[in-house]
Structure formats: structure tokens, C-alpha cells
């Protein structure tokens, strides 16, 4: 994964609320310093045409790849190949499953500190949070990950361990059992 081509990945339905225009803006700010870096956008949606126009205006058509709709298995393959996964949402997503899946595969995540996304990462250890709609901060965090392969790899390992510890099926089952027990005791 940490070879000569740096892949920044996002997996999102191209709609305005996903902040993909912010990600493209951030990528344009660091593209010159990282000539082998690519941005891959997995997903398809109504904002794709306007995003493609933005990419063309920024002269990044050979560096920003729109992969369209991919199956879940294909999406996971792209995630595993990524240097990092970016979730630049502008709205309060309830959870942000793609951020968790990236971490489960040992890929660091840069995400907006909003909604459920704000509960998934350990900032500075498993990835980075940025303010929504802040292309400058997003570019800085992506630049750090691209410029520091050892740090990115370490962050990816920490992300994997953290996600397994905090979001495993076993932990989910235990917490559900505990919650149902508390509900049962409250109604006795």
C-alpha cells in the first residue's frame, strides 16, 4: 500500500452533503507536491457531473478518478489499496460505516468532526478529524499522511486495533445484552 503511487480514497454517494467538492479542493492544494498521488472516488450520484467539471477546471482529470458504483467487495478492495480514506461530510451522518471499514482494514481515516463520525476515530492516533468544509485543514492532514509513510502505516495499525477493540461483533453483542438487561430491570 505504501509504494510509489499514493491513493487517497473516498467512498461516498456523490451528493452535495458528502463534501466531495471540499475533498477535491483539498487534493488540488497538495497535488503539485505529490505528483504520484491519486484521488479515487467510489460511488455514483447526482453531483458527479458537477464534481467532474470541478476536477476539469482544476486540471486534475488524470489524478482524480471517478470509479462509479462498486459492489461492497470491490469497495473493500479499493479501501485496502488506499493510503488513507477520507470522509469529508458536511452533514451529521449517523455513523459513517466507511470510516469504520477502513479502520478495520488498517487504513487511516481523515474525517469531518461531525455527527457519528466524531465518535469513530481517535484523533491523531487512528486518523484525523477536520472541521467540515475546511479544505485547508483537510489538505494539511492528507499531506502529512502522504509525506509520512511510516507514520501513516503506524496510524493504520492503530486504527485496525482500535476498531477491533471498540466495534467488534463480540463487543456489540455484550453491550446489547447489557442494555437489554438494564431495560428489563427497569421494568420489573
Amino acid at each position: 500500500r505504501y509504494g510509489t503511487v499514493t491513493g487517497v480514497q473516498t467512498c461516498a454517494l456523490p451528493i452535495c452533503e458528502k463534501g466531495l467538492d471540499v475533498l477535491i479542493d483539498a487534493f488540488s492544494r497538495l497535488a503539485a507536491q505529490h505528483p504520484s498521488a491519486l484521488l479515487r472516488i467510489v460511488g455514483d450520484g447526482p453531483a458527479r457531473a458537477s464534481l467532474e467539471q470541478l476536477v476539469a477546471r482544476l486540471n486534475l482529470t488524470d489524478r482524480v478518478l471517478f470509479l462509479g458504483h462498486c459492489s461492497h467487495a470491490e469497495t473493500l478492495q479499493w479501501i485496502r489499496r488506499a493510503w488513507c480514506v477520507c470522509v469529508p461530510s458536511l452533514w451529521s451522518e449517523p455513523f459513517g460505516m466507511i470510516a469504520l471499514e477502513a479502520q478495520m482494514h488498517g487504513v487511516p481515516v481523515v474525517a469531518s468532526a461531525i455527527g457519528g463520525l466524531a465518535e469513530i476515530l481517535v484523533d491523531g492516533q487512528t486518523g484525523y478529524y477536520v472541521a467540515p468544509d475546511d479544505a485547508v485543514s483537510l489538505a494539511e492532514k492528507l499531506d502529512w499522511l502522504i509525506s509520512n509513510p511510516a507514520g501513516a502505516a503506524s496510524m493504520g495499525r492503530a486504527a485496525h486495533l482500535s476498531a477491533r477493540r471498540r466495534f467488534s461483533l463480540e463487543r456489540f453483542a455484550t453491550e446489547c445484552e447489557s442494555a437489554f438487561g438494564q431495560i428489563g430491570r427497569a421494568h420489573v
Side-chain angles (χ1 to χ4, degrees):
R1 172 182 323 142
Y2 300 101
T4 57
V5 175
T6 306
V8 176
Q9 187 84 24
T10 190
C11 303
L13 181 68
I15 57 176
C16 295
E17 296 84 357
K18 293 294 187 176
L20 299 182
D21 57 331
V22 178
L23 175 56
I24 292 166
D25 180 10
F27 186 78
S28 74
R29 294 168 186 268
L30 58 88
Q33 302 100 276
H34 302 286
S36 67
L38 298 174
L39 171 59
R40 296 182 192 101
I41 299 174
V42 175
D44 214 350
R48 180 173 173 167
S50 64
L51 293 171
E52 288 175 330
Q53 291 170 359
L54 173 61
V55 167
R57 277 195 311 276
L58 295 170
N59 296 316
L60 292 171
T61 53
D62 58 336
R63 308 275 304 278
V64 178
L65 310 173
F66 289 87
L67 304 177
H69 173 77
C70 292
S71 70
H72 187 252
E74 292 168 322
T75 299
L76 292 179
Q77 287 177 353
W78 284 115
I79 287 172
R80 285 189 290 271
R81 292 180 191 158
W83 193 273
C84 69
V85 168
C86 190
V87 187
S89 293
L90 302 176
W91 67 294
S92 294
E93 296 204 30
F95 186 68
M97 190 62 163
I98 202 67
L100 177 57
E101 287 181 321
Q103 289 186 96
M104 285 288 195
H105 288 281
V107 179
V109 175
V110 180
S112 295
I114 189 169
L117 286 170
E119 299 175 23
I120 295 174
L121 303 180
V122 180
D123 192 37
Q125 294 177 25
T126 66
Y128 289 113
Y129 284 120
V130 296
D133 203 21
D134 186 348
V136 173
S137 292
L138 182 55
E140 289 170 358
K141 299 305 183 188
L142 292 173
D143 180 56
W144 187 91
L145 287 168
I146 293 169
S147 299
N148 295 284
S154 177
M155 193 172 273
R157 287 189 297 275
H160 174 74
L161 294 173
S162 175
R164 284 189 53 147
R165 186 181 70 252
R166 296 172 60 216
F167 298 103
S168 70
L169 183 57
E170 294 80 16
R171 180 165 181 184
F172 177 74
T174 300
E175 289 186 10
C176 282
E177 185 178 320
S178 174
F180 288 135
Q182 290 174 7
I183 292 168
R185 287 188 296 279
H187 288 84
V188 173

